[in-house]
Amino acid sequence: MSAYDDEFGRMMNEEFPTSPYGAPVQHHKPGLTRRGKAALGIGAAVLAGGGLIGYQAYSADAAANETKAQEIALKQQQLELEKIKELNRASETNRKAQTSENKTRQASINACVKDKDDQVGKEYGSPSYQDVIDACQAQYASTADGDDMESAASSKTANGGGGGVNEGVLLGGGVLVLFLVAAAKKGKRSNPA
């Protein structure tokens, strides 16, 4: 064998080593090829971009829902304030009517006492001044006590009656509004045109 053949054999053995069985053993470098690395990089970028876009959409929806919830709470407080104003107005009207009724009643009692005071103490068995006052007060008895009217009004509103806004209806309306707003937003997103 020549030196050239020995050199050629050594190079071939280094390049294509043979196994004890005579077949050449091929050595591969561990890891990915350039294409594999590029594909993984593109996939990671797509996933990161999609995640960022999804998070931004979620944040925007959460902020919009929070704003709507605050608006509904503010409207509910305004309705409660209006209800309190109406109750105060009704109470004031009731108080004025009761005061007017009391003045009219007292004037009637005073006229009755004045008409009958000439009978006081004139003869034996005649009524006393207090008896005349009691008889006139019984004749012009009060039709309704103002405290009874106020307690009836407060018990009616406490039970959800009295023409006020029912809390259940208000809550249901708020949920319906939120549902409609969410459906409208979803419709806008699915139709980009």
Side-chain angles (χ1 to χ4, degrees):
M1 262 211 214
S2 72
Y4 177 75
D5 288 337
D6 287 337
E7 183 65 25
F8 179 75
R10 187 184 60 78
M11 285 175 37
M12 289 302 288
N13 281 338
E14 284 179 9
E15 186 70 29
F16 302 106
T18 58
S19 71
Y21 303 108
V25 176
Q26 295 181 358
H27 292 287
H28 292 284
K29 290 184 181 178
L32 296 173
T33 64
R34 286 184 181 175
R35 276 191 201 164
K37 289 178 183 177
L40 282 179
I42 291 171
V46 167
L47 285 176
L52 182 62
I53 290 171
Y55 177 73
Q56 287 175 343
Y58 168 77
S59 297
D61 285 347
N65 289 342
E66 180 67 26
T67 303
K68 287 294 180 185
Q70 289 174 353
E71 286 178 17
I72 289 173
L74 182 62
K75 286 182 182 182
Q76 186 177 13
Q77 289 174 352
Q78 288 174 342
L79 287 174
E80 188 67 28
L81 183 63
E82 288 297 321
K83 184 170 96 172
I84 290 171
K85 284 181 183 178
E86 287 299 319
L87 285 174
N88 287 341
R89 195 174 298 140
S91 176
E92 183 65 23
T93 303
N94 185 28
R95 189 186 61 77
K96 287 179 181 178
Q98 188 67 32
T99 302
S100 173
E101 183 180 321
N102 287 343
K103 285 182 182 178
T104 305
R105 178 177 174 262
Q106 190 61 42
S108 299
I109 291 172
N110 289 345
C112 177
V113 169
K114 190 173 183 180
D115 287 343
K116 296 182 180 181
D117 71 346
D118 59 344
Q119 299 172 2
V120 175
K122 296 287 182 176
E123 48 187 70
Y124 183 74
S126 63
S128 67
Y129 190 72
Q130 185 61 43
D131 291 339
V132 170
I133 291 174
D134 290 341
C136 288
Q137 283 180 343
Q139 182 179 353
Y140 297 105
S142 176
T143 56
D145 189 11
D147 293 335
D148 292 342
M149 297 289 275
E150 288 176 10
S151 65
S154 66
S155 71
K156 238 181 169 188
T157 56
N159 293 332
V165 177
N166 189 348
E167 288 86 10
V169 172
L170 186 64
L171 182 63
V175 169
L176 180 63
V177 167
L178 282 175
F179 177 73
L180 291 175
V181 168
K185 283 189 175 191
K186 189 172 185 179
K188 284 182 182 178
R189 265 192 246 129
S190 64
N191 296 331

